Amino acid sequence: MKKIAWISDLHFVAEGAPLGHDPRQRLEAAIAHINAHHEDAACCVISGDLVNDPGLANYAALRPLLDRLAMPWFPMMGNHDDRVLLRQILPVPDSCMEDFIQYAVPLNGATVLALDTYKSASSGGEFCAARRQWLENQLQHAGDQPVILFLHHPPMTLGLPMMDEIKMYDGDSFLDLVSRHASGPVQLCIGHVHRSVSGVAAGLPFATLRSVLFQAPPPVPAWDWDSFSPAPEDPGLGVVLIDGSQITIQNEIFCPYELGTEGS
């Protein structure tokens, strides 16, 4: 059985507490949990929004914390990230594309694919021709092996206020490509959402993940960006297990909500 640790949406800053949540305490707790309970993971994937503001100081302060992980770790682009600074400060695999933070990681019988869906800080995700061709080639190369496909922006509608406005543009085209070119089981692992949502879209199973830092409110009562306030819910992480053709995702709480919140 192969194991992948999965964290997302760190929104890390070297100083300060975005929306009243301390990203340093939260990330330290997540790393301690992973090292204590999942040291046997083949790798840890971080599915975007590594920093809250894409400045050099934030990436530089983030690097030594992530280096505490007991396994190799792989950063991905989110809408709060910067490709140049990410590549300058954080490690990316040798297989990474030149123009995108996009790469494949073989896991001896399975494949991890990290897709770069970044378009801009204030827009939804993008899936351009170059990234489309890369993904098609990687799916064909994987053959009938399980593929764990990580991306930041969801390509499907989730029924969540505001999030559905900043999902991946032309997500139906992405889902169609994966459905047509995947020979083996594929699991979509999606960041950006700050909530745990799972389902099936175009025949493909997908899961989103809680943020390491703060959680988006549930869809009811409805909210918008003017009324947005983080939900008082615990942060979480994911553990992806691959056993032959079976893929399981376990959600784990790594600290109580009170850790790293103002007044605690």
Side-chain angles (χ1 to χ4, degrees):
M1 181 181 296
K2 288 167 279 292
K3 177 189 291 188
I4 302 167
W6 174 24
I7 56 177
S8 194
D9 296 273
L10 316 182
H11 288 268
F12 187 86
V13 291
E15 298 180 354
L19 298 175
H21 295 66
D22 187 330
R24 297 167 301 282
Q25 289 190 55
R26 288 283 176 91
L27 180 57
E28 287 174 349
I31 291 171
H33 180 96
I34 291 170
N35 286 346
H37 302 286
H38 303 293
E39 186 180 11
D40 57 337
C43 62
C44 178
V45 178
I46 310 164
S47 55
D49 281 357
L50 308 175
V51 296
N52 195 58
D53 304 299
L56 183 63
N58 289 335
Y59 282 111
L62 175 61
R63 171 71 188 264
L65 288 181
L66 293 176
D67 279 340
R68 297 180 188 176
L69 284 163
M71 68 289 300
W73 53 272
F74 300 109
M76 291 179 57
M77 281 291 298
N79 53 298
H80 281 257
D81 290 305
D82 180 276
R83 288 194 187 104
V84 174
L85 290 176
L86 191 158
R87 192 185 291 266
Q88 177 182 339
I89 303 297
L90 305 182
V92 295
D94 292 340
S95 64
C96 190
M97 292 183 72
E98 182 176 352
D99 296 328
F100 305 103
I101 308 299
Q102 186 160 292
Y103 49 83
V105 179
L107 288 184
N108 186 25
T111 300
V112 170
L113 298 181
L115 184 68
D116 183 337
T117 61
Y118 177 84
K119 179 177 174 63
S120 72
S122 59
S123 73
E126 183 176 55
F127 186 52
C128 66
R131 284 174 277 191
R132 182 186 307 273
Q133 186 61 58
W134 177 90
L135 180 57
E136 181 178 335
N137 292 341
Q138 292 298 328
L139 290 171
Q140 292 174 348
H141 180 72
D144 60 0
Q145 291 184 354
V147 171
I148 315 300
L149 177 49
F150 289 91
L151 61 160
H152 188 69
H153 295 83
M156 71 288 290
T157 298
L158 298 174
L160 296 176
M162 310 312 294
M163 284 296 175
D164 286 337
E165 297 183 8
I166 52 174
K167 63 180 182 178
M168 181 194 292
Y169 300 136
D170 198 20
D172 289 343
S173 175
F174 164 84
L175 293 169
D176 177 69
L177 183 148
V178 177
S179 297
R180 286 188 295 107
H181 292 283
S183 300
V186 175
Q187 172 69 51
L188 304 181
C189 295
I190 303 167
H192 195 45
V193 177
H194 291 240
R195 290 197 69 78
S196 294
V197 181
S198 60
V200 177
L204 299 168
F206 70 85
T208 72
L209 192 63
R210 293 189 184 204
S211 164
V212 164
L213 187 57
F214 62 85
Q215 313 315 311
V220 180
W223 53 271
D224 58 27
W225 293 126
D226 291 331
S227 63
F228 174 82
S229 180
E233 299 175 0
D234 301 332
L237 55 82
V239 179
V240 184
L241 302 172
I242 309 162
D243 187 3
S245 61
Q246 178 175 320
I247 302 168
T248 304
I249 299 178
Q250 299 175 349
N251 289 275
E252 299 187 0
I253 303 302
F254 60 82
C255 76
Y257 168 74
E258 291 74 20
L259 180 71
T261 56
E262 289 183 344
S264 63

